[in-house]
Amino acid sequence: MNYQETTNWLFNQLPVYQLLGASAYKEDLTNTLLLVNYLDNPEKHLKCIHVAGTNGKGSTSHLLASVLQEAGYKVGLYTSPHLKDFRERIKINGQDISEDFVCKFVAKNKSFFEANDLSFFEMTVGLAFEYFVKEKTDINIIEVGMGGRLDSTNIITPLISVITNIGLDHTQFLGNTLESIAFEKAGIIKKNVPVVIGEFTPKTKEVFIKKATETNSDIYFASDLIEETFPSVLLGDYQIQNKKTVQQTIIVLQNQNEFKISEENIKSGFLNVISNTGLQGRWQQLNENPKVICDTAHNSHGLKIVLNQIQKEQFDELHIILGVVNDKNLDKILPLFPKNAKYYFCKPNIPRGLDAEILQQKALNFQLNGKVYNSVSNAYQDAAKKANKNDFIYIGGSTFVVAEIL
């Protein structure tokens, strides 16, 4: 199979959460353990930092990778989902895994995958770990897919565990209280492995302290410990907390005396994160007049911060291109959106995309008015046509909406 056929097989062979939602979720690590045993346990040969959280784990992972690259290390980076190409999920020093490696890995192990009914995510984790071992990385930043305790990545014993924050997302899997979600995320905390917490509430803090006590893990609350942050090319307001989390994680890593990282490396890593790692879709500016911003925030916790940041902007009229997936709790997110904006409702082009007409009807309940478009690009074209140079266009609601624009 060529690369296109291989990735088509990966996406179509078994349910994938990114496309289908609930039917792809497995509450078990048995298959992942079966796979890594079959692959001769590559995870045991990797030095890792494990990153979980409701929001910010992607930015945090990329910032950590960028800092470590600036310090001269060969850095593996595993994240999800991808925006345009599957290979974005697995990188070394900002370079995507090769098409050839993906094809050979799948061809070699395809019969095992099929015989054991492995999920897309399990196969991808196995691919990443084998690639990082073969390429002899110095350190790897591993982002949790969803949750933590039962996530396929949770077979590693990292140097440091990182939990960025807790918000209400994926409640059908992780529970519908902050404490229950914190419990799932805290599942990445390992025995005698330090943990850095980015943001917390009094209730989630209790959950983290309890788990850290059980595992004899030193615990650091970054938002309390880090006062000043360095400038970064990532401009969203939410990046302030992500930068604090990264700076605290680097301090813990420095204290382990295995990696040498200077303050200059941190500063350069923050400023060069996009060129070093290829990160996209975080308060990313696509045009100047009118100003066009896209952002992958997609739950109430993330959207609240982004929409507050929009209100700080100077503009004549606000245009919002909005699309969501069909398991999104619209009663939670739609009240956050401003009523004095023009809306362009669209459906992200995936099976999970919510029909734009349903979104429009639901939005009317919250006095959000606009037209329906048959694609994200058509919505953007119309907004760009109608907006004057002093207007502001925001594109968001879903990672997949942003992916179609990029």
Side-chain angles (χ1 to χ4, degrees), residues 187-259:
I188 71 163
I189 301 174
K190 303 290 195 311
K191 192 166 181 173
N192 299 320
V193 173
V195 57
V196 174
I197 309 295
E199 299 173 78
F200 57 89
T201 68
K203 287 184 176 175
T204 62
K205 187 175 188 177
E206 284 177 25
V207 175
F208 296 138
I209 289 173
K210 182 173 185 288
K211 179 68 176 180
T213 303
E214 288 169 6
T215 56
N216 194 38
S217 302
D218 293 334
I219 188 165
Y220 303 86
F221 293 96
S223 55
D224 286 349
L225 295 168
I226 305 294
E227 291 179 11
E228 296 283 323
T229 63
F230 300 121
S232 171
V233 71
L234 302 181
L235 301 175
D237 287 353
Y238 52 83
Q239 300 295 358
I240 295 166
Q241 293 302 335
N242 294 334
K243 289 189 292 180
K244 287 184 177 186
T245 304
V246 170
Q247 284 175 226
Q248 183 57 53
T249 303
I250 294 297
I251 290 168
V252 176
L253 192 62
Q254 286 168 323
N255 290 341
Q256 293 177 351
N257 292 321
E258 198 169 341
F259 294 88

Side-chain angles (χ1 to χ4, degrees), residues 27-45:
E27 285 199 12
D28 200 286
L29 289 177
T30 305
N31 271 7
T32 311
L33 291 167
L34 188 72
L35 173 60
V36 292
N37 285 337
Y38 168 76
L39 297 173
D40 293 328
N41 297 103
E43 80 286 357
K44 291 184 176 171
H45 305 285

